[in-house]
């Protein structure tokens, strides 16, 4: 019988009711913290095999991605939540199978986030440090490329989607980029 932490969790339950469960998640602002992720991954059933734990925390910065010249006031993240959770689960499962990897935890915050607030938390538990760093970098890049989460920047002068990916499969808002 598979462990519950690896089971698919319906978006309506995962996003709105459960504050923290399993190794991946889409959370509202304040719904997850680095300390919770570290505690959870360190209690993984195979944690005794681990000799290294690395984390990444994406933080909202004031310098805009676009060359608007204005400082970022806040970001708004949107997600196709059911698909985002599924993609995060697929990514977690793929990375957890790699040599030397004991467990992987990936959590994205989808909400209005101000400068200095966390947007992404990734933790990799592995047998040795040489295995965890490349997987950490790959995890962050694949979240940005593969998971249906979009980011809109709000400066003091304007608001814009950071690139040209479009949310929810529509042709509207031709400036959106995945987070």
């Amino acid at each position: 019988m598979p462990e519950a932490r690896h089971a698919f969790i319906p978006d309506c339950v995962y996003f709105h009711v459960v504050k923290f469960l399993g190794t991946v998640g889409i959370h509202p602002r304040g719904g997850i913290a680095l300390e919770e992720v570290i505690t959870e991954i360190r209690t993984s059933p195979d944690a005794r095999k681990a000799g290294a734990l690395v984390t990444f925390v994406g933080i909202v910065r004031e310098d805009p991605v676009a060359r608007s010249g204005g400082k970022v006031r806040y970001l708004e993240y949107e997600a196709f939540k059911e698909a985002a959770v599924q993609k995060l689960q697929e990514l977690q499962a793929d990375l957890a199978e790699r040599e030397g990897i004991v467990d992987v935890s990936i959590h994205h915050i989808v909400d209005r986030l101000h400068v200095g607030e966390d947007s992404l938390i990734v933790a990799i538990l592995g047998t040795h440090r040489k295995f965890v760093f490349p997987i950490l970098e790959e995890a962050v890049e694949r979240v940005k490329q593969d998971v249906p989460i979009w980011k809109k920047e709000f400066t003091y002068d304007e608001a814009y989607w950071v690139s040209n990916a479009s949310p929810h499969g529509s042709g509207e808002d031709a400036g959106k980029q995945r987070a």
Side-chain angles (χ1 to χ4, degrees):
M1 182 170 170
E3 296 177 34
R5 59 194 235 112
H6 296 286
F8 180 75
I9 310 231
D11 176 66
C12 60
V13 172
Y14 200 91
F15 189 77
H16 299 289
V17 177
V18 179
K19 181 176 179 188
F20 179 81
L21 178 64
T23 58
V24 303
I26 299 294
H27 305 273
R29 181 179 182 203
I32 192 71
L34 175 61
E35 296 79 12
E36 292 173 285
V37 174
I38 290 172
T39 299
E40 185 264 342
I41 202 166
R42 290 182 70 124
T43 59
S44 166
D46 292 329
R48 300 185 88 174
K49 298 176 184 176
L53 169 62
V54 294
T55 61
F56 170 85
V57 178
I59 303 169
V60 177
R61 64 179 179 272
E62 73 175 354
D63 291 333
V65 172
R67 293 193 173 124
S68 69
K71 299 287 185 190
V72 170
R73 290 176 31 217
Y74 58 88
L75 301 178
E76 285 186 357
Y77 286 94
E78 290 184 10
F80 178 20
K81 295 173 195 145
E82 295 88 354
V85 168
Q86 183 175 349
K87 286 288 190 182
L88 289 173
Q89 288 172 331
E90 291 169 4
L91 175 58
Q92 186 276 339
D94 177 47
L95 298 176
E97 293 296 316
R98 304 288 180 85
E99 179 184 7
I101 301 303
V102 175
D103 205 353
V104 176
S105 187
I106 308 168
H107 298 270
H108 207 298
I109 292 85
V110 175
D111 210 329
R112 176 179 286 188
L113 299 175
H114 292 86
V115 172
E117 291 187 298
D118 299 347
S119 60
L120 174 65
I121 301 171
V122 179
I124 310 293
L125 191 65
T127 56
H128 300 282
R129 69 177 179 269
K130 71 179 182 179
F131 297 119
V132 294
F133 287 108
I135 297 301
L136 179 66
E137 184 173 7
E138 181 180 345
V140 172
E141 292 305 317
R142 287 179 61 188
V143 166
K144 292 176 72 104
Q145 292 171 7
D146 300 341
V147 180
I149 298 172
W150 299 274
K151 173 172 62 175
K152 188 172 187 178
E153 286 189 348
F154 290 79
T155 68
Y156 289 95
D157 302 321
E158 61 185 325
Y160 48 86
W161 296 101
V162 180
S163 183
N164 54 6
S166 183
H168 316 297
S170 73
E172 301 171 12
D173 299 318
K176 291 191 176 184
Q177 172 183 340
R178 292 189 179 172

